[in-house]
Amino acid sequence: LRRIPLFRDFSDEQLSQVLATVAERRFPKHQFIVREGEPGDTFFVIAAGSVAVVRVAADGRETILSILKEGDFFGEMSMFDSSLRSASIKTLTDVEVGAVRRDDFLGLIDRNPQIGKLLVIELSERLRAANALIAATTSQDIRARLASLLLNLAEQFGESVDNGTRITLRLTNQEMANMIGTTRETVNRTLNRFWDDRLVDMRTAHVIVTEPEKLRALIP
Ligand code: CMP
């Protein structure tokens, strides 16, 4: 639990109180943990693995709003506003979560106001990211959108290697397309162009960002 930023400053006693309310659950890759539109009574922290926050349109097309990983949380929105789930959560890898029921979650915040503060900070960051996504989506330039996505992934899932930053999370071209509102073919073509221009290294299954400054320069 101490690896989860929300509980970083907790004492042993506080942690054991939290532990008493957390149920451990495991989900295999590519499974829904939460479905948009359903009533929600559970808050989740990710102990291992990564998930995508997705909205599915009436025609079945998926938009990936965000990717969350170990240490992140989800499901807090319907805890706070008692509305239906605002998005679906789909596993990208095998995932282990800690699940906390609404009453326990709200009680936890009442007893530990510092958690409320950390939640607000994180929600502010998510709103910033959502604003950036809205701004990027109105730009027609697919190169800019893909460059921005690769830089974000390198920041969230980056690992230093000889020639740059390797993105440790493997996403399919379709998943990347769903994150920037385009098609799999366009992602494929644009990535190959980045590789031709040596902005990225595509020789292995994991994309390596080799020229972050040049990618950044593509973003208006
Ligand atoms: P909730 O609405 O209960 O269930 C879906 C969850 O997805 C939501 O809580 C948030 O935890 C998460 N979520 C929704 N929108 C975003 C977003 N734009 N960025 C990151 N996480 C989100």
Side-chain angles (χ1 to χ4, degrees), residues 82-147:
S82 305
S83 289
L84 303 176
R85 295 292 193 193
S86 60
S88 297
I89 302 287
K90 190 179 178 183
T91 57
L92 292 170
T93 63
D94 290 348
V95 165
E96 237 180 271
V97 293
V100 183
R101 304 290 301 242
R102 170 192 256 115
D103 289 348
D104 290 327
F105 173 69
L106 296 176
L108 186 72
I109 298 176
D110 281 345
R111 285 192 309 277
N112 309 280
Q114 77 272 30
I115 284 209
K117 197 167 154 189
L118 291 175
L119 285 165
V120 172
I121 292 172
E122 175 60 25
L123 292 183
S124 304
E125 278 168 18
R126 289 185 187 179
L127 186 54
R128 269 177 210 282
N131 289 352
L133 194 69
I134 293 169
T137 310
T138 53
S139 127
Q140 289 304 304
D141 184 357
I142 207 68
R143 277 163 57 91
R145 270 145 67 181
L146 189 60

Side-chain angles (χ1 to χ4, degrees), residues 34 53 65-66 74-78 84-87 89 126:
V34 158
V53 182
L65 299 174
S66 179
F74 59 88
E76 77 294 346
M77 289 172 63
S78 39
L84 303 176
R85 295 292 193 193
S86 60
I89 302 287
R126 289 185 187 179

Side-chain angles (χ1 to χ4, degrees), residues 7-193:
F7 306 122
R8 202 176 27 214
D9 298 328
F10 271 35
S11 67
D12 289 345
E13 197 196 321
Q14 283 173 308
L15 275 184
S16 63
Q17 277 179 5
V18 176
L19 264 181
T21 67
V22 178
E24 239 180 83
R25 288 169 62 187
R26 286 163 196 274
F27 295 88
K29 188 174 172 172
H30 293 156
Q31 186 171 317
F32 285 96
I33 301 179
V34 158
R35 294 236 185 216
E36 180 183 348
E38 286 184 352
D41 63 353
T42 312
F43 168 79
F44 299 89
V45 290
I46 305 176
S50 306
V51 303
V53 182
V54 298
R55 301 271 310 227
V56 184
D59 65 2
R61 281 197 305 166
E62 289 188 1
T63 305
I64 299 182
L65 299 174
S66 179
I67 292 181
L68 305 173
K69 64 173 181 182
E70 180 178 327
D72 290 332
F73 59 81
F74 59 88
E76 77 294 346
M77 289 172 63
S78 39
M79 299 301 97
F80 287 129
D81 68 6
S82 305
S83 289
L84 303 176
R85 295 292 193 193
S86 60
S88 297
I89 302 287
K90 190 179 178 183
T91 57
L92 292 170
T93 63
D94 290 348
V95 165
E96 237 180 271
V97 293
V100 183
R101 304 290 301 242
R102 170 192 256 115
D103 289 348
D104 290 327
F105 173 69
L106 296 176
L108 186 72
I109 298 176
D110 281 345
R111 285 192 309 277
N112 309 280
Q114 77 272 30
I115 284 209
K117 197 167 154 189
L118 291 175
L119 285 165
V120 172
I121 292 172
E122 175 60 25
L123 292 183
S124 304
E125 278 168 18
R126 289 185 187 179
L127 186 54
R128 269 177 210 282
N131 289 352
L133 194 69
I134 293 169
T137 310
T138 53
S139 127
Q140 289 304 304
D141 184 357
I142 207 68
R143 277 163 57 91
R145 270 145 67 181
L146 189 60
S148 157
L149 174 64
L150 291 172
L151 290 168
N152 287 342
L153 289 172
E155 198 179 306
Q156 207 182 356
F157 295 97
E159 163 187 277
S160 256
V161 291
D162 288 348
N163 61 338
T165 305
R166 177 196 283 137
I167 298 172
T168 57
L169 178 72
R170 258 183 90 173
L171 291 174
T172 62
N173 286 350
Q174 183 65 59
E175 283 165 337
M176 287 198 250
N178 293 351
M179 295 187 77
I180 57 175
T182 184
T183 61
R184 182 167 51 87
E185 293 76 17
T186 303
V187 165
N188 188 32
R189 192 168 0 97
T190 313
L191 270 179
N192 280 326
R193 222 174 123 190

